[in-house]
Amino acid sequence: MKIAKRISRYIPFFKAGTKQFLVYKAQSFMWLIISFVDIAFIFFLYEAVYKSNENGLNAVINGFTFKEIVLYAITSFCFSFSLHDETSYNILTDVKEGTISSSLTKPVSYRLRQFFQALGNNIFQFAFIGFPLLIATYIIYFSLKLIPFDVGSFFLNLLFFILFYIISTILINSLNYLLGLLSFFSQHMFGLQLIMEALQMFFSGGVVPFAFMGIFGIVLNFNPFAFLNSTPILVLMDKIDPLYSLLLVGVGIVWIVIFELINKLIFSSCMKKLVIQGG
């Protein structure tokens, strides 16, 4: 009962996140259109790469056929779109406008408030745009027999995919919360956000699959950004064994714990800085 009562305090923030998605849905659809343009560029890029191979579009490069690499690109953009998180900018706004002081006096955790607000926005984006697009894409692929289809394997992979989505949602929020806390010291976010996005694109496998990076790609499978793109996608595409998926679930949870501990330490430091500024 105590846990349920504590969680109920954050329902208004969750609802605020869903309203944010509904109010700014035009922005979400614009990002979706941009993503489709990106997919088109990647399609033509990989088409040129595969056609340059002696087996043409029937070639298998680093374990991927041309049809699979296109599916990877589509799934990647749909998944990344569903992880859009503005926690860092919300914290920066609180710091610049001074509302952080009133937020800290309320009987709620500032960390959980930011998490539930982002969660409301992410779930709506995933449920109403990202997930339907993914399902539609895979239905088309299976219907046209572009990739092998096994009912049991697909639904097991889908369960793992949803589990990894939960891990990804928490992890991206932890990273953005950390980025937001840095605004206590820098008072700026644009440059930090650009660095964050560049790191995420490369180390998450958003640019190219890790399979194309040799031994370095194997190591990257265990980095925290991999859970924001590569790992969930490869699971859904049946490119990762279930036992290995369980191992990666554990790795993802460890990364969440690490970043939450870092966030706690930095938040304590920020509170000391806040007191100094107020004094």
PDB file of all heavy atoms in Angstrom, residues 23 26 35 43 59 87 95 108 120 129 163 177 190 200-202 228 231 241 258 261 268:
ATOM      1  N   VAL A  23      -0.002  17.657 -27.188  1.00  0.00           N
ATOM      2  CA  VAL A  23       0.053  19.074 -27.552  1.00  0.00           C
ATOM      3  C   VAL A  23       1.047  19.298 -28.686  1.00  0.00           C
ATOM      4  O   VAL A  23       0.797  20.069 -29.614  1.00  0.00           O
ATOM      5  CB  VAL A  23       0.430  19.936 -26.322  1.00  0.00           C
ATOM      6  CG1 VAL A  23       0.722  21.370 -26.750  1.00  0.00           C
ATOM      7  CG2 VAL A  23      -0.699  19.912 -25.305  1.00  0.00           C
ATOM      8  N   ALA A  26       2.467  17.516 -33.614  1.00  0.00           N
ATOM      9  CA  ALA A  26       2.953  17.945 -34.937  1.00  0.00           C
ATOM     10  C   ALA A  26       4.469  17.820 -35.002  1.00  0.00           C
ATOM     11  O   ALA A  26       5.034  17.417 -36.023  1.00  0.00           O
ATOM     12  CB  ALA A  26       2.523  19.378 -35.215  1.00  0.00           C
ATOM     13  N   SER A  35      12.758  11.113 -40.294  1.00  0.00           N
ATOM     14  CA  SER A  35      13.297   9.766 -40.151  1.00  0.00           C
ATOM     15  C   SER A  35      13.114   8.959 -41.428  1.00  0.00           C
ATOM     16  O   SER A  35      14.006   8.208 -41.842  1.00  0.00           O
ATOM     17  CB  SER A  35      12.607   9.048 -38.978  1.00  0.00           C
ATOM     18  OG  SER A  35      12.922   9.666 -37.756  1.00  0.00           O
ATOM     19  N   PHE A  43      18.829   3.462 -47.439  1.00  0.00           N
ATOM     20  CA  PHE A  43      18.437   2.440 -48.418  1.00  0.00           C
ATOM     21  C   PHE A  43      19.324   2.523 -49.659  1.00  0.00           C
ATOM     22  O   PHE A  43      19.891   1.516 -50.099  1.00  0.00           O
ATOM     23  CB  PHE A  43      16.968   2.631 -48.802  1.00  0.00           C
ATOM     24  CG  PHE A  43      16.510   1.708 -49.902  1.00  0.00           C
ATOM     25  CD1 PHE A  43      16.059   0.428 -49.611  1.00  0.00           C
ATOM     26  CD2 PHE A  43      16.544   2.123 -51.234  1.00  0.00           C
ATOM     27  CE1 PHE A  43      15.642  -0.427 -50.621  1.00  0.00           C
ATOM     28  CE2 PHE A  43      16.129   1.280 -52.251  1.00  0.00           C
ATOM     29  CZ  PHE A  43      15.679  -0.003 -51.941  1.00  0.00           C
ATOM     30  N   ALA A  59      23.780 -10.826 -51.876  1.00  0.00           N
ATOM     31  CA  ALA A  59      24.971 -11.051 -51.047  1.00  0.00           C
ATOM     32  C   ALA A  59      24.614 -11.018 -49.561  1.00  0.00           C
ATOM     33  O   ALA A  59      23.631 -10.392 -49.142  1.00  0.00           O
ATOM     34  CB  ALA A  59      26.020  -9.986 -51.349  1.00  0.00           C
ATOM     35  N   THR A  87      14.227  15.429 -20.834  1.00  0.00           N
ATOM     36  CA  THR A  87      14.492  15.659 -19.413  1.00  0.00           C
ATOM     37  C   THR A  87      15.602  16.684 -19.200  1.00  0.00           C
ATOM     38  O   THR A  87      15.507  17.540 -18.315  1.00  0.00           O
ATOM     39  CB  THR A  87      14.872  14.337 -18.724  1.00  0.00           C
ATOM     40  OG1 THR A  87      13.784  13.422 -18.821  1.00  0.00           O
ATOM     41  CG2 THR A  87      15.214  14.559 -17.259  1.00  0.00           C
ATOM     42  N   VAL A  95      16.483  25.287 -13.826  1.00  0.00           N
ATOM     43  CA  VAL A  95      17.664  25.970 -13.282  1.00  0.00           C
ATOM     44  C   VAL A  95      17.685  27.434 -13.705  1.00  0.00           C
ATOM     45  O   VAL A  95      17.897  28.335 -12.884  1.00  0.00           O
ATOM     46  CB  VAL A  95      18.965  25.268 -13.746  1.00  0.00           C
ATOM     47  CG1 VAL A  95      20.196  26.083 -13.340  1.00  0.00           C
ATOM     48  CG2 VAL A  95      19.046  23.865 -13.168  1.00  0.00           C
ATOM     49  N   VAL A 108       7.844  15.324  -3.206  1.00  0.00           N
ATOM     50  CA  VAL A 108       8.078  14.306  -4.239  1.00  0.00           C
ATOM     51  C   VAL A 108       9.558  14.313  -4.598  1.00  0.00           C
ATOM     52  O   VAL A 108      10.244  15.316  -4.433  1.00  0.00           O
ATOM     53  CB  VAL A 108       7.236  14.559  -5.519  1.00  0.00           C
ATOM     54  CG1 VAL A 108       5.758  14.369  -5.245  1.00  0.00           C
ATOM     55  CG2 VAL A 108       7.519  15.939  -6.099  1.00  0.00           C
ATOM     56  N   GLY A 120       5.618   9.189 -19.504  1.00  0.00           N
ATOM     57  CA  GLY A 120       4.324   9.435 -20.129  1.00  0.00           C
ATOM     58  C   GLY A 120       4.463   9.789 -21.597  1.00  0.00           C
ATOM     59  O   GLY A 120       3.724   9.288 -22.455  1.00  0.00           O
ATOM     60  N   ILE A 129       2.803   5.496 -32.280  1.00  0.00           N
ATOM     61  CA  ILE A 129       3.556   5.703 -33.529  1.00  0.00           C
ATOM     62  C   ILE A 129       4.612   4.611 -33.731  1.00  0.00           C
ATOM     63  O   ILE A 129       4.575   3.874 -34.718  1.00  0.00           O
ATOM     64  CB  ILE A 129       4.225   7.095 -33.546  1.00  0.00           C
ATOM     65  CG1 ILE A 129       3.172   8.207 -33.441  1.00  0.00           C
ATOM     66  CG2 ILE A 129       5.032   7.273 -34.835  1.00  0.00           C
ATOM     67  CD1 ILE A 129       3.739   9.596 -33.408  1.00  0.00           C
ATOM     68  N   LEU A 163      10.946  -5.967 -23.192  1.00  0.00           N
ATOM     69  CA  LEU A 163      11.764  -5.888 -21.978  1.00  0.00           C
ATOM     70  C   LEU A 163      12.938  -4.934 -22.187  1.00  0.00           C
ATOM     71  O   LEU A 163      13.232  -4.093 -21.324  1.00  0.00           O
ATOM     72  CB  LEU A 163      12.270  -7.281 -21.597  1.00  0.00           C
ATOM     73  CG  LEU A 163      13.165  -7.377 -20.348  1.00  0.00           C
ATOM     74  CD1 LEU A 163      12.439  -6.845 -19.121  1.00  0.00           C
ATOM     75  CD2 LEU A 163      13.589  -8.830 -20.119  1.00  0.00           C
ATOM     76  N   TYR A 177      18.947  12.798 -17.641  1.00  0.00           N
ATOM     77  CA  TYR A 177      18.934  13.406 -16.307  1.00  0.00           C
ATOM     78  C   TYR A 177      20.346  13.837 -15.921  1.00  0.00           C
ATOM     79  O   TYR A 177      20.558  14.934 -15.386  1.00  0.00           O
ATOM     80  CB  TYR A 177      18.385  12.401 -15.295  1.00  0.00           C
ATOM     81  CG  TYR A 177      18.233  12.937 -13.895  1.00  0.00           C
ATOM     82  CD1 TYR A 177      17.187  13.801 -13.566  1.00  0.00           C
ATOM     83  CD2 TYR A 177      19.125  12.583 -12.890  1.00  0.00           C
ATOM     84  CE1 TYR A 177      17.041  14.291 -12.272  1.00  0.00           C
ATOM     85  CE2 TYR A 177      18.984  13.059 -11.596  1.00  0.00           C
ATOM     86  CZ  TYR A 177      17.942  13.916 -11.302  1.00  0.00           C
ATOM     87  OH  TYR A 177      17.803  14.403 -10.016  1.00  0.00           O
ATOM     88  N   PHE A 190      22.976  23.168 -25.377  1.00  0.00           N
ATOM     89  CA  PHE A 190      23.023  22.870 -26.812  1.00  0.00           C
ATOM     90  C   PHE A 190      24.262  22.049 -27.188  1.00  0.00           C
ATOM     91  O   PHE A 190      24.161  21.020 -27.853  1.00  0.00           O
ATOM     92  CB  PHE A 190      22.985  24.163 -27.631  1.00  0.00           C
ATOM     93  CG  PHE A 190      22.922  23.931 -29.110  1.00  0.00           C
ATOM     94  CD1 PHE A 190      21.770  23.437 -29.706  1.00  0.00           C
ATOM     95  CD2 PHE A 190      24.025  24.195 -29.918  1.00  0.00           C
ATOM     96  CE1 PHE A 190      21.713  23.214 -31.074  1.00  0.00           C
ATOM     97  CE2 PHE A 190      23.976  23.975 -31.285  1.00  0.00           C
ATOM     98  CZ  PHE A 190      22.818  23.482 -31.863  1.00  0.00           C
ATOM     99  N   GLN A 200      25.547   8.851 -29.016  1.00  0.00           N
ATOM    100  CA  GLN A 200      24.438   7.887 -29.084  1.00  0.00           C
ATOM    101  C   GLN A 200      24.316   7.277 -30.480  1.00  0.00           C
ATOM    102  O   GLN A 200      24.111   6.068 -30.619  1.00  0.00           O
ATOM    103  CB  GLN A 200      23.130   8.572 -28.689  1.00  0.00           C
ATOM    104  CG  GLN A 200      21.936   7.613 -28.644  1.00  0.00           C
ATOM    105  CD  GLN A 200      20.665   8.306 -28.185  1.00  0.00           C
ATOM    106  OE1 GLN A 200      20.714   9.317 -27.472  1.00  0.00           O
ATOM    107  NE2 GLN A 200      19.525   7.780 -28.587  1.00  0.00           N
ATOM    108  N   MET A 201      24.432   8.109 -31.509  1.00  0.00           N
ATOM    109  CA  MET A 201      24.304   7.615 -32.877  1.00  0.00           C
ATOM    110  C   MET A 201      25.365   6.569 -33.201  1.00  0.00           C
ATOM    111  O   MET A 201      25.071   5.527 -33.785  1.00  0.00           O
ATOM    112  CB  MET A 201      24.398   8.779 -33.869  1.00  0.00           C
ATOM    113  CG  MET A 201      23.096   9.529 -34.074  1.00  0.00           C
ATOM    114  SD  MET A 201      21.795   8.506 -34.805  1.00  0.00           S
ATOM    115  CE  MET A 201      22.459   8.249 -36.446  1.00  0.00           C
ATOM    116  N   PHE A 202      26.602   6.839 -32.796  1.00  0.00           N
ATOM    117  CA  PHE A 202      27.692   5.919 -33.139  1.00  0.00           C
ATOM    118  C   PHE A 202      27.709   4.689 -32.236  1.00  0.00           C
ATOM    119  O   PHE A 202      27.731   3.552 -32.720  1.00  0.00           O
ATOM    120  CB  PHE A 202      29.042   6.639 -33.053  1.00  0.00           C
ATOM    121  CG  PHE A 202      30.202   5.754 -33.415  1.00  0.00           C
ATOM    122  CD1 PHE A 202      30.493   5.482 -34.741  1.00  0.00           C
ATOM    123  CD2 PHE A 202      30.999   5.179 -32.422  1.00  0.00           C
ATOM    124  CE1 PHE A 202      31.563   4.651 -35.081  1.00  0.00           C
ATOM    125  CE2 PHE A 202      32.055   4.354 -32.749  1.00  0.00           C
ATOM    126  CZ  PHE A 202      32.344   4.089 -34.089  1.00  0.00           C
ATOM    127  N   LEU A 228      20.088   1.377 -26.506  1.00  0.00           N
ATOM    128  CA  LEU A 228      19.214   2.412 -27.052  1.00  0.00           C
ATOM    129  C   LEU A 228      18.942   2.200 -28.531  1.00  0.00           C
ATOM    130  O   LEU A 228      18.240   2.995 -29.155  1.00  0.00           O
ATOM    131  CB  LEU A 228      19.852   3.795 -26.840  1.00  0.00           C
ATOM    132  CG  LEU A 228      20.273   4.133 -25.406  1.00  0.00           C
ATOM    133  CD1 LEU A 228      20.846   5.537 -25.348  1.00  0.00           C
ATOM    134  CD2 LEU A 228      19.115   3.979 -24.444  1.00  0.00           C
ATOM    135  N   THR A 231      20.852  -3.491 -29.543  1.00  0.00           N
ATOM    136  CA  THR A 231      20.433  -4.707 -28.844  1.00  0.00           C
ATOM    137  C   THR A 231      18.945  -5.026 -29.038  1.00  0.00           C
ATOM    138  O   THR A 231      18.607  -6.149 -29.435  1.00  0.00           O
ATOM    139  CB  THR A 231      20.767  -4.601 -27.348  1.00  0.00           C
ATOM    140  OG1 THR A 231      22.175  -4.414 -27.190  1.00  0.00           O
ATOM    141  CG2 THR A 231      20.349  -5.861 -26.606  1.00  0.00           C
ATOM    142  N   ASP A 241      20.699 -14.873 -29.641  1.00  0.00           N
ATOM    143  CA  ASP A 241      20.200 -16.066 -28.967  1.00  0.00           C
ATOM    144  C   ASP A 241      19.489 -15.688 -27.659  1.00  0.00           C
ATOM    145  O   ASP A 241      19.920 -14.754 -26.967  1.00  0.00           O
ATOM    146  CB  ASP A 241      21.388 -16.991 -28.670  1.00  0.00           C
ATOM    147  CG  ASP A 241      20.960 -18.272 -27.993  1.00  0.00           C
ATOM    148  OD1 ASP A 241      20.569 -19.212 -28.716  1.00  0.00           O
ATOM    149  OD2 ASP A 241      21.012 -18.325 -26.750  1.00  0.00           O
ATOM    150  N   ILE A 258      24.464   1.814 -12.329  1.00  0.00           N
ATOM    151  CA  ILE A 258      25.674   2.649 -12.354  1.00  0.00           C
ATOM    152  C   ILE A 258      25.320   4.113 -12.594  1.00  0.00           C
ATOM    153  O   ILE A 258      25.786   5.010 -11.869  1.00  0.00           O
ATOM    154  CB  ILE A 258      26.654   2.154 -13.446  1.00  0.00           C
ATOM    155  CG1 ILE A 258      27.278   0.819 -13.035  1.00  0.00           C
ATOM    156  CG2 ILE A 258      27.760   3.190 -13.687  1.00  0.00           C
ATOM    157  CD1 ILE A 258      28.114   0.167 -14.112  1.00  0.00           C
ATOM    158  N   LEU A 261      23.494   5.747  -9.655  1.00  0.00           N
ATOM    159  CA  LEU A 261      24.427   6.084  -8.563  1.00  0.00           C
ATOM    160  C   LEU A 261      25.213   7.345  -8.894  1.00  0.00           C
ATOM    161  O   LEU A 261      25.415   8.217  -8.033  1.00  0.00           O
ATOM    162  CB  LEU A 261      25.387   4.916  -8.322  1.00  0.00           C
ATOM    163  CG  LEU A 261      24.787   3.664  -7.666  1.00  0.00           C
ATOM    164  CD1 LEU A 261      25.818   2.541  -7.625  1.00  0.00           C
ATOM    165  CD2 LEU A 261      24.288   3.976  -6.259  1.00  0.00           C
ATOM    166  N   SER A 268      23.733  15.486  -5.407  1.00  0.00           N
ATOM    167  CA  SER A 268      24.173  15.974  -4.091  1.00  0.00           C
ATOM    168  C   SER A 268      25.118  17.150  -4.250  1.00  0.00           C
ATOM    169  O   SER A 268      25.034  18.148  -3.515  1.00  0.00           O
ATOM    170  CB  SER A 268      24.855  14.847  -3.312  1.00  0.00           C
ATOM    171  OG  SER A 268      23.972  13.780  -3.084  1.00  0.00           O
TER     172      SER A 268
END
